[in-house]
Amino acid sequence: MTTGRVRRLTPADADEILRIVTLEGLDPTVLTRELTGDDYLWMGLASPTGGLGAVHRAMRWGSRLLLKGVFVDASVRGSGAALELGFAMRDHARDSGYAGVAAWVEPHKPEAALARMLRLRTSGPLLHRFEIAVPDSAAHVPLPAHRDRVLTLPGRAPATPLVADVVADDDEHGPGHRSAGAHWVLDRHRLVLSGFPGHSVADLGELVAAAAPTARARGARFLEFPMPAADLSAALCLAAAKARRLSRTPVRLGLLRFAPDTVTEGAARR
């Protein structure tokens, strides 16, 4: 996809990307996987002086494209580069048949204004994002054969997850439906869940055990999951379990759902 100064990036852009982007766990191997994989999207904006001036990174999470970060070089700061790339990512998602886009939003931080301009609507409880290490195993674990990318815990009723799937579409199963599982996506060295399928934080060990085979097969060393920001007792339990909080302040997931006719038309143009 090419629109003026904006284009989809390829492995040929790896050196320029690594010059602008500093992310934990992003090395040439991981970057190549994302630049060549169907479930990842990197787009860049050309700098007036040559090379890249800004890049935006995203990945498939459930039926949505998750916007995971925009990085702007000093040469184009103040030019609206972040917004231009955001619109390009949104248009690409619509044209590629995604149900919509999503992004974590800190309500009182500058990126909240960018989310509003992209028409992302934030709702639901305030959350914190945590990560916990996945135990090592010497056993060979094959890649999962399925592609639904949903993690569930056995015996969990739909109404009971501590954090319901934040990217689930209500219209998939009817109003008021709450998924008992969570979609996962591989984000560098983390397997990222879109909910906490357990009844309470006491189910963390069971959750890690259920996610471990997929995490190991994908090369992930950590499991990321959301937790209600107001649950102080859970935060203490997580600290005792050596889980690390990733979000600086409480966040909500901003969502934009495309109208079905625009998705169909966009996919048909490809």
Side-chain angles (χ1 to χ4, degrees):
M1 174 180 177
T2 302
T3 54
R5 302 190 295 162
V6 177
R7 61 180 175 84
R8 184 166 187 170
L9 302 179
T10 72
D13 300 298
D15 289 343
E16 276 288 282
I17 293 171
L18 293 172
R19 177 181 65 82
I20 298 172
V21 178
T22 302
L23 278 176
E24 181 185 5
L26 184 69
D27 57 26
T29 300
V30 171
L31 180 58
T32 298
R33 180 186 69 207
E34 295 195 4
L35 290 171
T36 56
D38 293 336
D39 291 330
Y40 299 89
L41 175 65
W42 285 80
M43 298 194 78
L45 182 145
S47 167
T49 58
L52 293 176
V55 297
H56 204 147
R57 173 175 176 261
M59 61 198 69
R60 181 182 294 276
W61 204 19
S63 61
R64 289 184 169 86
L65 184 69
L66 176 67
L67 308 182
K68 277 293 289 183
V70 59
F71 305 86
V72 181
D73 188 62
S75 62
V76 297
R77 284 177 190 160
S79 67
L83 184 60
E84 186 174 352
L85 278 175
F87 280 127
M89 300 289 266
R90 188 188 68 182
D91 292 346
H92 177 92
R94 184 190 61 239
D95 293 346
S96 299
Y98 286 86
V101 295
W104 288 114
V105 179
E106 294 180 273
H108 306 296
K109 296 294 183 178
E111 61 262 30
L114 177 60
R116 287 193 296 271
M117 285 185 279
L118 292 174
R119 295 171 50 209
L120 300 181
R121 298 181 61 182
T122 56
S123 61
L126 286 167
L127 302 168
H128 275 304
R129 295 162 46 231
F130 285 86
E131 72 169 11
I132 191 167
V134 175
D136 292 332
S137 173
H140 172 71
V141 181
L143 287 171
H146 61 80
R147 289 188 56 84
D148 60 359
R149 301 189 183 183
V150 175
L151 178 72
T152 58
L153 296 181
R156 303 301 179 187
T160 57
L162 181 59
V163 179
D165 189 343
V166 295
V167 297
D169 286 315
D170 291 339
D171 54 2
E172 287 182 2
H173 305 285
H177 175 84
R178 299 184 72 194
S179 172
H183 287 86
W184 60 262
V185 62
L186 180 63
D187 182 3
R188 295 165 291 147
H189 57 292
R190 299 187 184 104
L191 194 75
V192 182
L193 301 183
S194 60
F196 191 94
H199 297 291
S200 73
V201 71
D203 294 322
L204 178 60
E206 185 180 353
L207 181 67
V208 173
T214 299
R216 293 174 189 140
R218 299 281 171 166
R221 305 190 311 276
F222 292 87
L223 179 69
E224 179 183 324
F225 54 89
M227 187 62 55
D231 196 334
L232 298 181
S233 62
L236 292 174
C237 291
L238 291 170
K242 298 184 179 179
R244 182 169 71 102
R245 196 178 82 182
L246 299 174
S247 45
R248 298 167 294 177
T249 63
V251 296
R252 284 191 174 101
L253 194 71
L255 296 170
L256 170 64
R257 179 182 299 169
F258 299 135
D261 56 341
T262 64
V263 173
T264 301
E265 292 170 3
R269 290 198 301 268
R270 294 175 63 198

